[in-house]
Amino acid sequence: MKPDCHYLHAPSDNPVIAIVQGIDRDVEHGEDLLMLGLGIVMLSSTFAPVAPPTVLLPLVALTFAITVCFAHRNYQRMERKLFASMTQLNSQELALLRPIAAVFSEAPAGSLAESFNPAKNLKRTLKSALGGVLINPLWMPIFYMMGIQIKAEKNLITLNQAIIGVERRILPPSTRA
């Protein structure tokens, strides 16, 4: 196996700890990606005096779309690496990681084509249209992309909670981050 396709890179006394620490780093990376997009969007108001809304607002939606794509790719990579690592574990170790694996089965990444398709996400589309009617029609794509970003963030929060639960069971209190 390539070293990038699982979490068991170095020989460790406890492979479960290595997996949990690796997936925790990847969750932090996914959260950083989403926060980068949010930070860029927050800074976009500094360009309002020089860029018209017809230019600035589509760029805001594009920023959300790009960061969501990177976060989605990171989430899929975490899932692949976790399940590849789990094939090398015994049943006791698998039982410890079951809550993390359950998150991936309950909240799968899905495809980006489906996420970006307004016809397949009618609730998100209607909420975006309502927001566009209330504020400005140019905000409709931004609201739609924000909905995708919020869903990705919820998946990472759920995964992070599962990781914390596993860490509480396997790590001594003095080594928890």
Side-chain angles (χ1 to χ4, degrees):
M1 279 188 178
K2 290 188 280 183
D4 190 39
C5 63
H6 61 81
Y7 288 112
L8 301 171
H9 298 295
S12 173
D13 292 339
N14 191 342
V16 175
I17 291 174
I19 291 171
V20 169
Q21 289 173 342
I23 201 164
D24 193 27
R25 275 190 309 271
D26 285 346
V27 168
E28 288 175 11
H29 180 67
E31 291 170 342
D32 291 344
L33 287 169
L34 292 173
M35 287 306 294
L36 174 68
L38 188 60
I40 291 171
V41 167
M42 298 295 277
L43 287 173
S44 69
S45 64
T46 58
F47 297 109
V50 287
T54 56
V55 173
L56 193 58
L57 293 178
L59 288 176
V60 167
L62 184 64
T63 301
F64 276 134
I66 290 170
T67 57
V68 162
C69 287
F70 282 119
H72 184 269
R73 199 168 103 206
N74 182 56
Y75 191 80
Q76 287 180 324
R77 192 176 330 127
M78 283 189 290
E79 183 177 17
R80 280 194 310 270
K81 287 168 70 173
L82 174 68
F83 288 121
S85 299
M86 287 176 71
T87 60
Q88 302 173 23
L89 302 177
N90 63 36
S91 61
Q92 287 179 329
E93 296 165 337
L94 287 173
L96 289 171
L97 292 174
R98 197 161 290 131
I100 297 173
V103 171
F104 286 110
S105 61
E106 292 169 5
S111 74
L112 279 175
E114 195 170 297
S115 293
F116 286 126
N117 187 348
K120 293 196 176 194
N121 299 294
L122 292 176
K123 187 176 179 181
R124 187 181 309 140
T125 303
L126 291 173
K127 287 180 179 181
S128 303
L130 179 63
V133 167
L134 292 175
I135 295 178
N136 182 342
L138 292 174
W139 279 77
M140 287 170 47
I142 295 170
F143 289 138
Y144 191 82
M145 291 300 135
M146 281 176 59
I148 297 172
Q149 175 135 352
I150 289 169
K151 183 177 184 239
E153 197 167 334
K154 283 181 182 177
N155 287 348
L156 288 176
I157 289 169
T158 305
L159 185 57
N160 200 17
Q161 290 171 345
I163 291 169
I164 290 169
V166 172
E167 283 178 339
R168 284 188 179 141
R169 286 191 291 165
I170 63 171
L171 293 177
S174 62
T175 61
R176 288 185 208 147

